[in-house]
Amino acid sequence: MRPAARRRTPVLLSFVAVLLAVLLAAAACSSAGSDDDGGVNPASDAAEREVPADAPAMTEGRDGVAERSIGDNAPLDSADQLSVALDAAGRPDDGATDRKIIAKGNVSLESDDVEAAVVDVQKISDRYFGEITERETTTNDDGDVKTARLLLRIPVADFDKAFLALQEVADLETANTGKEDVTTQVIDTQVRIRAQRRSLARVEALLDRAQSISDIVRIEGQLTRRQADLESLERRLSYLSNQTSMSTISVNISLPPPAKEREKKEEPEEAGFLAGLEDGWKALKSFGTDTATITGKALPFAGVLLVIGAPLFLVLRRLRRGDDDAPAPAAPADA
């Protein structure tokens, strides 16, 4: 009997081992299935526990971009808008990668004929498809133009050529120029505009779904503020586009100082009878002019003196006659 009992014991142990292996395999499969079918993920559970209770909820907006729901929390700030726009829009426009330069220049010239120099400046502006946006001139006593100030807008691509051409119009006194690279500002403004437009679209969608009066008022406030921010960004982009497409050159033209005029017009003095006669005639004309000027200035005073002095003279003359007609005093009698 004992040998039979010994044979049954290994068989029973083998059966138990197989049964345990089957149970373990089934438990492993059940655990894997529960994880795949929506079981709790320890990592995600920890992440959810780390999120503050008052944090704004995140929803999936258009184009798969995560966005905050409008509630009691603050709106998206500039950094969030920029991040969302970069993720949603990808890279900036192809044209935005070109360098954007603001170019300005100033040229001061001297010319014996300021009016002719102004005409030459206009020709240079027309040659490079520019325009004169401001023009200011002054004249002397003879009616000739003595100073001129012109403000030119020239395409940025032709700025250097136009600047050099303007320096050759007349005698150059001073010339200076400056350039500023605003490529980063242009790209940043474009990205912020795209982000602001997407933000407006999301707020408008939320406004359509609002149910309570408080939500409508709060969302409309956000909509107004974001619309104002968008208009400000668009104005800034318009200014940058204008400045980077057309450069600005200020041109100042004036007559040379009197000392320079004498240096330029130095000529040997003529001698002889005709030269002396011409100088005498000029002196006579100058004397006649000065005399006529003095007479004209004194004539009003003479009229005033005549009106006041004539009656006064008559009064004094009558008083003097009265004194002459008075009887002489009698001589004293001798004792």
Side-chain angles (χ1 to χ4, degrees):
M1 294 298 293
R2 289 181 178 178
R6 291 179 178 176
R7 288 195 297 269
R8 291 175 184 175
T9 300
V11 174
L12 182 60
L13 292 175
S14 300
F15 178 75
V16 171
V18 171
L19 181 61
L20 290 174
V22 171
L23 291 175
L24 290 174
C29 293
S30 176
S31 176
S34 63
D35 290 341
D36 295 338
D37 295 337
V40 177
N41 189 344
S44 63
D45 186 33
E48 291 176 359
R49 287 196 300 271
E50 292 177 358
V51 178
D54 58 349
M58 302 298 291
T59 58
E60 184 175 0
R62 285 180 289 180
D63 300 332
V65 180
E67 63 182 274
R68 301 190 202 186
S69 62
I70 301 298
D72 295 333
N73 301 286
L76 285 171
D77 54 16
S78 300
D80 293 334
Q81 293 177 6
L82 183 60
S83 176
V84 171
L86 287 173
D87 294 338
R91 61 178 61 88
D93 296 337
D94 295 337
T97 58
D98 298 335
R99 291 186 63 193
K100 303 296 183 180
I101 304 295
I102 296 179
K104 296 182 178 180
N106 187 8
V107 180
S108 296
L109 306 171
E110 287 185 355
S111 174
D112 294 332
D113 191 344
V114 177
E115 192 170 358
V118 170
V119 173
D120 293 338
V121 171
Q122 179 69 62
K123 292 179 180 179
I124 293 174
S125 176
D126 295 340
R127 183 192 312 167
Y128 294 104
F129 302 99
E131 60 178 348
I132 298 178
T133 58
E134 294 182 16
R135 183 193 301 260
E136 181 181 352
T137 59
T138 59
T139 58
N140 55 20
D141 296 337
D142 297 332
D144 300 328
V145 178
K146 65 176 183 179
T147 62
R149 178 183 176 275
L150 308 172
L151 191 64
L152 280 67
R153 300 299 306 278
I154 304 293
V156 173
D158 299 322
F159 172 78
D160 294 330
K161 297 178 182 178
F163 190 74
L164 292 176
L166 290 170
Q167 298 180 39
E168 299 176 356
V169 169
D171 296 336
L172 178 65
E173 287 298 308
T174 60
N176 54 75
T177 181
K179 295 183 179 181
E180 181 183 3
D181 192 338
V182 294
T183 306
T184 303
Q185 297 182 31
V186 172
I187 295 176
D188 178 72
T189 305
Q190 290 174 341
V191 170
R192 289 178 181 273
I193 287 176
R194 284 197 293 270
Q196 200 69 16
R197 287 173 178 170
R198 290 176 180 272
S199 177
L200 277 174
R202 293 195 298 268
V203 174
E204 290 173 354
L206 290 174
L207 182 61
D208 294 337
R209 298 196 300 268
Q211 300 295 329
S212 63
I213 298 297
S214 60
D215 288 342
I216 293 175
V217 172
R218 185 165 51 250
I219 294 173
E220 285 181 346
Q222 294 289 336
L223 188 65
T224 301
R225 187 184 67 82
R226 298 189 185 199
Q227 182 64 40
D229 292 342
L230 176 61
E231 292 175 357
S232 176
L233 290 170
E234 289 176 341
R235 286 194 299 268
R236 175 172 176 77
L237 181 61
S238 176
Y239 169 78
L240 291 173
S241 300
N242 178 268
Q243 293 296 313
T244 55
S245 61
M246 300 289 285
S247 62
T248 304
I249 304 178
S250 177
V251 181
N252 296 278
I253 309 172
S254 62
L255 291 171
K260 287 191 175 182
E261 289 182 354
R262 286 196 298 268
E263 291 177 1
K264 291 184 177 180
K265 295 181 179 180
E266 281 184 355
E267 296 179 358
E269 295 183 359
E270 297 182 358
F273 175 76
L274 295 178
L277 181 61
E278 183 179 359
D279 292 340
W281 176 249
K282 288 181 180 180
L284 179 61
K285 286 175 61 178
S286 177
F287 175 75
T289 302
D290 295 341
T291 302
T293 302
I294 295 173
T295 303
K297 290 180 179 180
L299 189 59
F301 296 96
V304 173
L305 291 175
L306 181 62
V307 172
I308 297 176
L312 183 61
F313 175 75
L314 294 176
V315 171
L316 292 176
R317 185 176 180 183
R318 181 173 298 178
L319 291 175
R320 188 173 180 181
R321 282 183 178 180
D323 293 341
D324 294 341
D325 296 339
D334 293 337

